[in-house]
Amino acid sequence: MDSKNGGARNQLLHFDLHIDEHKPHKGILDLLGRLRPNWDAQDIQMKRFTEGITNQLIGCFVAPLQEPGCVLVRLYGQMTELFVNRDRELEMFQVLHAHGCGPQIFCSFQNGICYEFVRGTVLEDELLLQPSIYRLIAAEMGRIHSIQPKCGAPAEPLLWTKMSHFLTLVQSRNSSSEEQRGTKSPVPSFETLSAEMESLKRHLSQIDSPTVLCHNDLLTKNIIYDHKEGMVKFIDYEYADYNYQAFDIGNHFNEFAGVSDVNYSRYPSRELQRDWLTAYLQSYNHSTGREVTVTEAEVTKLYVQVCKFSLASNFFWGVWAILQSRFSSIDFDFERYATARLNYYFEKKEEYFGLQII
């Protein structure tokens, strides 16, 4: 039965069907038969995108892929509902689309969503270092950060609630997974992680970083670059929510290190960060009606805040990856990824904690 979902789904069309993640072709055709009844099933082409490490993404089209009308079908990964608030994700899709910052979402179904194809190509890692590109990214983030909550209600940052949730899941899975493997995990214990979170929270709660609408997961594969239009768009809003401004930026800087082969020698230099932050502040100030001129002192203040919150980003995704290593069916070395993120967190903690905000 098809329905309109109320509440957070804001009357979004919902189809009560489940698509087999191992053999999705038939289920997708069934879905498209309802969503695009004018499409002839024999003419439908599908292209699988493999960039994601937790979900499957399949482009469906009858015209050429980059032409308007293409539908993206995203199948949620196994157990991802433990990490992601799906109603909130749909709400973020609608908010970002309403402000011209994201694609239109067409419908949801039992284990996924369909939305508009964003024209362009997934950004290559090397382009993060190109000034003309990273200034576009900075400006787009500034625009998104300026989106105000509905009804003027004060927004609470997502970070500590989500991190606590992850740690609770780590605790509940710890003993059983070690018993099954018969070995001790190389990642830190629950007790160590819990103490580190409290330490982080104490330090970062003293930092006056504004709560803004954040993407929270801006790796290169979530950035679409349209070179013809000279613009970028952000996709994938599984973790989008109100959060600390400096977290979103610091998280993006951490993503310079990559995903499949994490290498922090690629972390942006201080000079690149300052140029990026200048472009960001110009956009954010313009979008929020502030003085557009940016001072060196403003850039320095944000730079220090971002360094400190980049620690929280590494810790957050380190804990997330520990959980994925125990729940996910996707072929990816999550434990290695968790180790890389947490090692860099511990390596930089003392240095970044010591930075003073002037």
Side-chain angles (χ1 to χ4, degrees):
M1 180 179 170
D2 306 341
S3 65
K4 298 259 188 175
N5 271 318
R9 294 171 185 260
N10 197 18
Q11 298 303 300
L12 178 69
L13 186 63
H14 177 78
F15 295 115
D16 191 19
L17 65 85
H18 183 280
I19 295 176
D20 184 340
E21 62 177 302
H22 303 294
K23 297 177 180 177
H25 190 269
K26 182 178 179 300
I28 290 175
L29 286 179
D30 187 12
L31 176 69
L32 292 173
R34 305 186 204 189
L35 183 68
R36 294 287 183 268
N38 58 322
W39 285 12
D40 189 326
Q42 294 179 329
D43 296 335
I44 296 173
Q45 299 180 64
M46 298 186 195
K47 178 182 177 182
R48 186 185 295 271
F49 297 93
T50 56
E51 281 84 10
I53 58 171
T54 53
N55 302 296
Q56 289 187 59
L57 191 62
I58 297 140
C60 309
F61 50 100
V62 289
L65 180 63
Q66 292 284 346
E67 293 300 311
C70 174
V71 171
L72 286 177
V73 176
R74 194 167 86 216
L75 300 178
Y76 299 146
Q78 183 180 327
M79 307 291 279
T80 51
E81 69 278 1
L82 288 170
F83 311 92
V84 177
N85 179 335
R86 294 299 178 191
D87 280 347
R88 189 63 169 160
E89 178 192 12
L90 297 180
E91 194 179 327
M92 290 295 109
F93 249 103
Q94 292 167 324
V95 167
L96 288 161
H97 176 63
H99 285 85
C101 295
Q104 181 182 359
I105 184 163
F106 297 130
C107 70
S108 61
F109 51 96
Q110 284 179 16
N111 61 326
I113 52 174
C114 288
Y115 56 96
E116 180 184 12
F117 181 80
V118 179
R119 289 207 282 178
T121 54
V122 170
L123 196 71
E124 296 298 325
D125 290 352
E126 309 81 63
L127 291 180
L128 288 174
L129 301 171
Q130 194 170 306
S132 61
I133 305 294
Y134 71 63
R135 287 175 191 144
L136 288 176
I137 296 167
E140 182 67 6
M141 188 182 282
R143 278 190 289 276
I144 290 173
H145 283 186
S146 72
I147 297 172
Q148 297 299 310
K150 285 181 188 172
C151 313
E156 287 298 313
L158 166 92
L159 182 60
W160 307 118
T161 308
K162 191 68 114 176
M163 204 182 277
S164 296
H165 174 60
F166 285 178
L167 280 173
T168 302
L169 289 171
V170 167
Q171 185 181 27
S172 67
R173 293 290 293 184
N174 247 5
S175 55
S176 60
S177 57
E178 283 180 13
E179 282 168 17
Q180 287 166 11
R181 284 197 302 259
T183 57
K184 187 153 180 64
S185 171
V187 297
S189 68
F190 166 75
E191 290 72 22
T192 300
L193 293 170
S194 193
E196 283 301 323
M197 179 184 144
E198 288 308 313
S199 169
L200 259 179
K201 192 172 182 179
R202 274 194 307 274
H203 185 79
L204 295 181
S205 60
Q206 300 168 43
I207 311 301
D208 187 27
S209 181
T211 299
V212 297
L213 182 60
C214 295
H215 184 282
N216 290 316
D217 189 20
L218 199 60
L219 61 162
T220 49
K221 305 309 181 195
N222 286 337
I223 302 170
I224 303 296
Y225 174 49
D226 185 341
H227 69 94
K228 288 181 185 173
E229 299 291 332
M231 63 189 290
V232 295
K233 289 292 178 191
F234 303 162
I235 59 168
D236 192 349
Y237 313 126
E238 287 191 304
Y239 296 93
D241 211 324
Y242 284 89
N243 206 357
Y244 298 103
Q245 176 190 55
F247 176 91
D248 210 19
I249 301 171
N251 182 73
H252 176 61
F253 288 168
N254 279 329
E255 296 296 353
F256 278 54
V259 176
S260 53
D261 180 26
V262 181
N263 178 0
Y264 281 99
S265 70
R266 296 195 290 254
Y267 195 85
S269 66
R270 184 186 174 108
E271 292 71 33
L272 189 153
Q273 288 184 61
R274 290 187 68 91
D275 191 43
W276 196 106
L277 293 171
T278 301
Y280 165 84
L281 284 168
Q282 287 168 344
S283 169
Y284 180 69
N285 289 353
H286 174 73
S287 299
T288 53
R290 294 177 169 86
E291 172 59 52
V292 176
T293 308
V294 176
T295 66
E296 286 294 305
E298 284 178 285
V299 174
T300 299
K301 179 183 177 183
L302 185 54
Y303 168 78
V304 173
Q305 290 178 335
V306 166
C307 285
K308 290 176 182 290
F309 272 93
S310 73
L311 292 170
S313 156
N314 275 321
F315 187 81
F316 181 91
W317 293 111
V319 176
W320 171 89
I322 293 171
L323 289 172
Q324 290 288 354
S325 72
R326 295 166 192 178
F327 287 115
S328 178
S329 59
I330 288 176
D331 182 22
F332 182 81
D333 193 344
F334 286 106
E335 200 161 85
R336 180 170 171 236
Y337 183 75
T339 303
R341 298 295 298 250
L342 291 169
N343 281 352
Y344 198 68
Y345 162 78
F346 284 112
E347 181 184 324
K348 303 301 284 188
K349 180 184 173 185
E350 189 175 346
E351 176 190 341
Y352 288 169
F353 269 23
L355 292 174
Q356 297 298 311
I357 295 179
I358 310 301

